Amino acid sequence: MIEGQKIGYIRVSSVDQNEARQLDGVELDKKFIDKCSGKDTDRPELINLFEFVRSGDTVLVHDISRMARNVKDLIELIERLQNKGVSIRFIKEGLQFDNNKANPMNDLILTILGAIYQFERSMILERQKEGIAIAKAEGKYKGKQSLVDLKQVQALLDNKMCISAIAKEMEISRASVYRAIDRIGA
């Protein structure tokens, strides 16, 4: 096997979370940090990681839940890395998947732990929905509050920018642009 680089992949769920504890003290040649949900694989730095890694590299991840939050995505990501000749190591679980070695026990453990993390996420979302329903019934729920700059949205609208272009320019979702438009009455 060609000796490659040690590449870190770090993911936190939001921009205000601190990623410092992940891979702290692990010597890396390069790292990719996503600050977004792990609910799917459409993450900018994960995509960049796949474009960057080469045969012989090893990707290090703090734990399985940082790579994916469902079993299907987890297995597909590992297979994609292995198909590129890349190994992946999950530090917390002590699991490594080499690019050229089958390890049925690691595969079983990965599937079980992945299913547990997927179940955990489902339960969190279910409790969240229940809490929101109760808060709505009590008139206490206001929804997610946006910090979108309404003046900037108005200025971009005045410059005849389309919704998609405004969202891209401001690095927000199109839904956030539409909510801002509703708030400013444009």
Side-chain angles (χ1 to χ4, degrees), residues 48-163:
N48 290 339
L49 168 83
F50 273 93
E51 291 173 0
F52 180 82
V53 293
R54 301 290 178 258
S55 182
D57 289 346
T58 299
V59 173
L60 293 100
V61 184
H62 177 71
D63 71 56
I64 291 170
S65 71
R66 302 297 89 205
M67 179 59 72
R69 294 296 261 164
N70 69 65
V71 177
K72 179 180 174 280
D73 287 346
L74 182 62
I75 291 170
E76 286 177 1
L77 290 169
I78 291 172
E79 286 176 353
R80 281 180 57 198
L81 287 168
Q82 289 177 313
N83 289 339
K84 289 187 79 161
V86 175
S87 298
I88 182 164
R89 186 179 332 153
F90 296 101
I91 305 299
K92 184 177 174 186
E93 293 87 358
L95 294 175
Q96 179 153 334
F97 298 86
D98 293 318
N99 60 342
N100 58 358
K101 294 181 189 171
N103 187 326
M105 184 56 77
N106 277 2
D107 292 343
L108 173 64
I109 293 169
L110 176 79
T111 304
I112 291 169
L113 290 175
I116 290 169
Y117 289 135
Q118 182 175 331
F119 174 74
E120 176 186 48
R121 176 167 167 70
S122 297
M123 294 305 295
I124 289 169
L125 293 174
E126 187 176 307
R127 286 189 300 270
Q128 184 181 38
K129 284 180 186 175
E130 289 169 357
I132 289 171
I134 291 168
K136 280 182 178 179
E138 295 174 355
K140 297 178 182 176
Y141 184 75
K142 293 183 172 51
K144 187 175 179 181
Q145 299 302 306
S146 174
L147 300 176
V148 174
D149 183 344
L150 300 179
K151 290 180 183 177
Q152 184 180 6
V153 171
Q154 183 65 59
L156 295 173
L157 283 170
D158 292 344
N159 286 332
K160 307 292 185 225
M161 283 184 88
C162 69
I163 302 301

Side-chain angles (χ1 to χ4, degrees), residues 2-21:
I2 301 167
E3 185 64 33
Q5 296 186 73
K6 290 182 179 178
I7 314 298
Y9 179 71
I10 296 168
R11 184 189 65 77
V12 293
S13 297
S14 63
V15 291
D16 58 337
Q17 287 182 326
N18 188 340
E19 73 277 352
R21 73 174 182 85

